[in-house]
Amino acid sequence: MSHLRLLSTDFDGTLIEHFSHGRCTADFADVLRHHKKHGGVWAVNTGRGLVHAIEGVEKFQAPVQPDFLLTNEREIFHRSSDGRWMPEKGWNQTCYERHDELFENSQALFDWLRSHADLRPGISIAEEDGRICGVITSTESEMAEFVDLLEKKIALLPDFSYQRNTIYLRFAHRDYHKGSALGELCRVLGIRHDEVLAAGDHFNDLPMLDGRFAAYPCCPSNAIPEVRETVLAAGGHVASLPAANGVAESWRFFHTEHNK
Ligand SMILES: [Mg+2]
């Protein structure tokens, strides 16, 4: 039995490189086979929604399927024995209700956002089910500028937060992020924090890489500087290889360290 019982891996940028063929590498496939053979659990913890997460995972063609998909940085789905993705009802329902309430109480902020986006062609408002859910910018530097402004606007809204990933930003309740979703998964499965490896590359991965929810945080070589710093500060591992090969490298590093 490995001391790592749960792998929580981001998908885009962490398992697949942007603009790549999107398939699993031989090295990461070996890690997955070993992990599953020893009873390990694999969760893909992504900013993608369920439909796109399933699409990505199917194209990835790993030798084993993930046991869980954590989607939109907050919802939890488990794979049933017949391969269907089933919601963790209690968690997801509470998550939807708390976001309904949050967004209901954030109309003034959304009014400001609409007028702000009207004046700036590089900022588009993203909607889901007819409701504002986030922002997409043309470039990452526009996103950085927007985030600076947003931080000031939400300073007095204690529950209002966001998850940021390249040119995409999703509004969120402050209690919901990749870290808290991972924490809930561990609670349900009875897995301890010191049995969890978490791997990510971008801002939206920070909540699962700061050591609170996974004792073994890591990132591939292509991770942004903020992720590398967070991983190192939490005593984790920064790989020398990019994407899935980097995650495999970190997994081997933690194994070797543990068995010394
Ligand atoms: Mg990513």
Side-chain angles (χ1 to χ4, degrees), residues 53-68:
I54 293 172
E55 238 173 58
V57 161
E58 281 175 359
K59 195 173 164 199
F60 191 58
Q61 295 180 12
V64 297
Q65 291 299 302
D67 304 286
F68 292 87

Side-chain angles (χ1 to χ4, degrees), residues 2 36 61 68 70 75 98 119 129 136-137 146 148 165 167 189 191 204 227 256-257 259:
S2 163
K36 291 294 290 187
Q61 295 180 12
F68 292 87
L70 277 48
E75 293 143 14
R98 294 188 76 187
L119 300 171
D129 304 325
I136 305 169
T137 56
F146 176 74
D148 282 345
N165 182 23
I167 58 166
L189 298 175
I191 290 178
N204 61 340
V227 164
T256 311
E257 285 292 294
N259 293 327

